[in-house]
Amino acid sequence: MKAETIQRVGEILEEAIEDGVTMGASVGVWQHGEELLYVERGQADRENGKKIKRDTIFRLYSMSKPITAAAAMILMERGLLDFAQPVSDFLPGFADVMVETDGGVQKSETPVTVFNLLNMTSGLTYGDEKTTAGKMTLSYIEECIERLHTPQAVTTIEFAEHLSQIPLNFAPDTSWRYGLSADVLGAVIEKASGMRFGEFMQKNIFEPLGMKDTGFWVPQEKQERLAQAYELADGPMKLYTGDNLAVSNRLETPPAFESGGAGLVSTLDDYAKFAQMLLGGGTLNGVRVMNQATVDYFTDGGLTPEQQKAYRAWVGLEGFTYSHLMRIMKHPEMAAYLGSKGEYGWDGWLGCYFTNLPEKDATILLMQQRRDSGTIPMTRKVRNVILGDL
């Protein structure tokens, strides 16, 4: 990669730090299995004077979702999970789900399937203040946060089963909405595999790929490498110490609730191993995690026209569709930034960002810890500079 490209990526990060947009970030690019770029700037822990480093541990939040989907894919190819199965086969509470309608609440005529969970077409949401279902979801998430550091902390299965008692936002498969589908999928994986969700991931993804710093908690000996989270403020950024989506901020002990939608932590290099495995057709360094046919299926797909219409309301994802807990670019000409047909990935609430570009056999990763981020302008600027060189 050109020296000026590497320099410019560093400058973009420095400009964002100076403007109070982020506290610090790291960026990595790999192509054809080789590292082309690594840049780090800023602070991982301002209060203790710790800089972003290569081994800094980041809270992935929604960038956990592609790994959760990968776990489901592994079970599918082993014949242990059928995506057309009703979720109620694993979580009985989903046998009688209700749907909120204009006229009130009624029993759903169609079941929630595993496939609905993978495509966010289940009717589950993250909550809102406008609907009964949305308010009930927000209230339950708040209850789970209150119980988080007590002996009454909810478990992965308990969390999912309770969601079955909250009306769906829409009838399964009729629309699209981002929400708690991946968390229910984690509970399904736990049931289908016969082991704790995190244990299944550890044995079938993390250990085979050598992702030694990825998991649902951060042991004491690694706590000093966990980046602090920050939020925007009038003036310097503020330290953020809150628990979000029933996920502990400090992650000091193994959680009762292993959130498939938001619970994982990782490093840039660990996540790169996962991404490179997918580009490698399911293998990395001679170790096979899933079959080529499964990877092809996993990294493709899309929504129906009606579902796509709902997805299209998400500004900033023009040109993409959604499938298997990831965005997938179908129309680069419609995108608001440089892109490549077939690229896929996702981001997280604290700003971690991942994309694979099969046409270029390349991975781009950006890690940061800024509240309410997702894909921010800084991230798009970085990828535009990189894509211009790739």
Side-chain angles (χ1 to χ4, degrees):
M1 188 154 277
K2 297 174 184 175
E4 51 264 40
T5 299
I6 299 173
Q7 179 180 341
R8 183 58 190 140
V9 169
E11 290 171 350
I12 292 171
L13 299 186
E14 290 165 5
E15 290 161 6
I17 293 167
E18 185 176 345
D19 292 343
V21 170
T22 191
M23 185 58 64
S26 58
V27 179
V29 179
W30 293 259
Q31 188 174 43
H32 309 315
E34 295 185 7
E35 183 180 303
L36 300 186
L37 175 151
Y38 175 75
V39 174
E40 62 186 39
R41 295 289 190 277
Q43 302 290 314
D45 182 347
R46 176 186 61 196
E47 287 66 29
N48 290 296
K50 296 178 182 177
K51 294 183 178 181
I52 293 281
K53 293 183 178 180
R54 188 95 193 207
D55 65 351
T56 296
I57 297 172
F58 298 88
R59 302 163 192 80
L60 296 179
Y61 272 92
S62 286
M63 221 164 81
S64 304
K65 289 179 172 71
I67 302 180
T68 295
M73 295 291 156
I74 291 169
L75 286 172
M76 180 268 289
E77 74 172 20
R78 294 178 184 174
L80 296 172
L81 183 60
D82 170 16
F83 292 168
Q85 277 182 275
V87 173
S88 58
D89 284 359
F90 305 95
L91 304 167
F94 278 86
D96 298 303
V97 288
M98 307 296 285
V99 178
E100 185 169 3
T101 66
D102 292 338
V105 175
Q106 64 184 42
K107 189 176 186 302
S108 177
E109 296 181 0
T110 54
V112 178
T113 66
V114 178
F115 189 66
N116 293 147
L117 299 178
L118 281 161
N119 283 6
M120 292 286 178
T121 56
S122 64
L124 293 162
T125 77
Y126 273 125
D128 58 65
E129 296 287 358
K130 298 179 180 178
T131 65
T132 299
K135 292 175 183 177
M136 290 176 68
T137 301
L138 288 179
S139 177
Y140 183 59
I141 291 173
E142 185 58 37
E143 176 190 332
C144 292
I145 291 174
E146 291 174 359
R147 294 167 56 182
L148 187 58
H149 304 290
T150 75
Q152 290 74 44
V154 298
T155 66
T156 307
I157 300 296
E158 181 186 354
F159 185 86
E161 284 281 19
H162 187 96
L163 292 180
S164 72
Q165 307 306 306
I166 297 174
L168 301 174
N169 183 249
F170 53 81
D173 215 37
T174 62
S175 190
W176 182 94
R177 188 169 175 186
Y178 198 57
L180 293 163
S181 291
D183 297 285
V184 176
L185 183 60
V188 168
I189 290 168
E190 188 161 302
K191 288 281 192 174
S193 67
M195 62 180 73
R196 278 181 63 94
F197 178 37
E199 183 184 0
F200 181 82
M201 282 186 158
Q202 184 67 29
K203 290 186 175 181
N204 294 278
I205 300 176
F206 306 151
E207 286 181 4
L209 294 178
M211 297 170 68
K212 63 183 186 304
D213 291 321
T214 304
F216 286 108
W217 67 294
V218 182
Q220 185 58 43
E221 64 271 18
K222 296 183 180 182
Q223 277 285 322
E224 64 177 15
R225 291 198 280 128
L226 177 63
Q228 294 282 13
Y230 295 88
E231 58 185 331
L232 299 179
D234 293 330
M237 297 187 78
K238 290 171 51 181
L239 180 68
Y240 174 76
T241 59
D243 301 322
N244 185 46
L245 294 177
V247 175
S248 166
N249 181 277
R250 290 311 306 171
L251 300 149
E252 292 174 312
T253 57
F257 169 46
E258 297 176 323
S259 169
L264 289 173
V265 299
S266 191
T267 62
L268 183 135
D269 282 321
D270 264 17
Y271 210 96
K273 292 173 182 176
F274 171 73
Q276 291 286 286
M277 175 273 293
L278 294 178
L279 281 181
T283 65
L284 182 72
N285 299 325
V287 177
R288 180 163 293 282
V289 172
M290 65 178 73
N291 295 323
Q292 177 72 63
T294 305
V295 174
D296 292 344
Y297 171 73
F298 178 23
T299 57
D300 199 359
L303 301 171
T304 67
E306 195 65 25
Q307 293 164 354
Q308 187 71 27
K309 187 185 300 183
Y311 179 73
R312 180 64 182 81
W314 194 325
V315 176
L317 288 177
E318 298 81 2
F320 289 93
T321 188
Y322 191 89
S323 183
H324 306 142
L325 301 182
M326 296 190 293
R327 62 177 183 272
I328 301 173
M329 184 171 280
K330 298 290 187 178
H331 299 284
E333 73 280 3
M334 295 174 60
Y337 42 79
L338 294 180
S340 174
K341 190 170 184 178
E343 74 164 275
Y344 57 86
W346 201 239
D347 56 29
W349 179 69
L350 288 179
C352 294
Y353 178 91
F354 147 62
T355 196
N356 267 354
L357 305 105
E359 284 191 344
K360 300 180 182 295
D361 190 26
T363 295
I364 300 173
L365 284 170
L366 183 149
M367 300 295 224
Q368 62 170 330
Q369 299 282 261
R370 196 202 89 174
R371 183 180 177 178
D372 298 323
S373 290
T375 303
I376 62 174
M378 178 193 77
T379 306
R380 291 192 288 270
K381 290 176 182 178
V382 165
R383 59 166 285 151
N384 281 339
V385 170
I386 292 168
L387 263 292
D389 196 346
L390 283 176

